[in-house]
Amino acid sequence: MIPVTKPFLPPQEEYEKFLEGIWSREWITNNGPLVQDLEEQLKNYLGFRNLLLVGNGTIALQFAIKALGISGEIITTPFSYVATTSSIVWEGCTPVFVDIDSETLNLDPNKIEPAITENTSAILATHVFGNPCDVEAIKEIADKHQLKVIYDAAHCFGTTYKGSSVFEWGDISTCSFHATKIFQTIEGGAVFSENQNLMERMYFMRNFGHDGPGNFNGLGVNGKNSEFHAAMGLVNLKYVDDLLQRRKHQYQRYEKELKPESIQMLKLTDRDGFNFAYFSAVFESEATMNRVKTELEKKHIYARRYFYPSLNNLDYVSGEMPISESVSARVLCLPLYHQLKKEEQELVIETIKKTLRNV
Ligand SMILES: *Cc1c(COP(=O)(O)O)cnc(C)c1O
């Protein structure tokens, strides 16, 4: 079986070494030493000083919206994982969808201004598949209309844009360290911001607002992570360079082999900084996509319709987004993970080529 992705699990002994320390300290959660150590190591690795580890990438988005005090309408992308939209609704705000660019699959900045109303307070955009948005254009619009900007950078572990961390863009960026992402802590995520006050606000939010045992600094919930999650991160961080490197080779193989086919590949906004997190193939029609998917499944290869459906079609929101709907209907993410063997990838490529030629 060839799945679309597999979680990276490090050698079990390396994880077990951390367990001894946890048992001897008997400190298993509540901002323990491993969580603090992982935060420090991630700051160094990612080259970004203001980072807070949180429970997952979804609560990271909720914290971002809450910390910025956003209410009313948030302009957002319909082409993302459901958490981008659901977090907006969960926080009592209204998502206003703006269609995507057909080549980068990111929110199209040219369509933002017509969607701004007197109730608009923010833009929440996703760097789709680890490929940065047109951050300069979005910043210009946001500054002009005094809107906050949040980036759902769940796919962006290791992505840089023009030489520095992509997390520098926006008022707050979020990342996910879920099992299926490049760098995983089983469940986990982080928030990033240049603004110290926002970081401090989110620091208290993460732990019920506790400022000492009997004092509270504002409203909080539980967004903590445990020592067991941090241990997984500390071990995995040693392997992440290798994982990124392998992804890059696999991505480039798909690119080279599938180039002659009528498949639309992602237009990269900064190839040198890209983390090659996903390989997306957009086919000519939904029928073609379905044929490819079915032929792959006959060989026990499971590509994933990702993102699907276009989020404007969720039953708790509304609107029509022609480009996003069209791409969602035709896209497949192809298998890409550390242990994917060359022969396995060749089988994926051959199966796609054969299917497209028997039109
Ligand atoms: C994975 C993902 C999330 C959610 O992250 P979790 O850690 O699973 O909560 C949010 N947005 C995007 C784009 C994602 O891919």
Side-chain angles (χ1 to χ4, degrees), residues 70-89:
I70 294 168
S71 61
E73 295 172 1
I74 301 181
I75 288 177
T76 190
T77 175
F79 193 69
S80 184
Y81 184 59
V82 66
T84 317
T85 298
S86 66
S87 301
I88 293 174
V89 177

Side-chain angles (χ1 to χ4, degrees), residues 56-58 61 80-81 83-84 126 152 154-155 176 178 181 188 306-307:
N56 54 65
T58 306
L61 287 168
S80 184
Y81 184 59
T84 317
T126 300
D152 181 343
H155 294 172
S176 166
H178 180 256
K181 306 296 204 280
Y306 192 66
F307 303 114

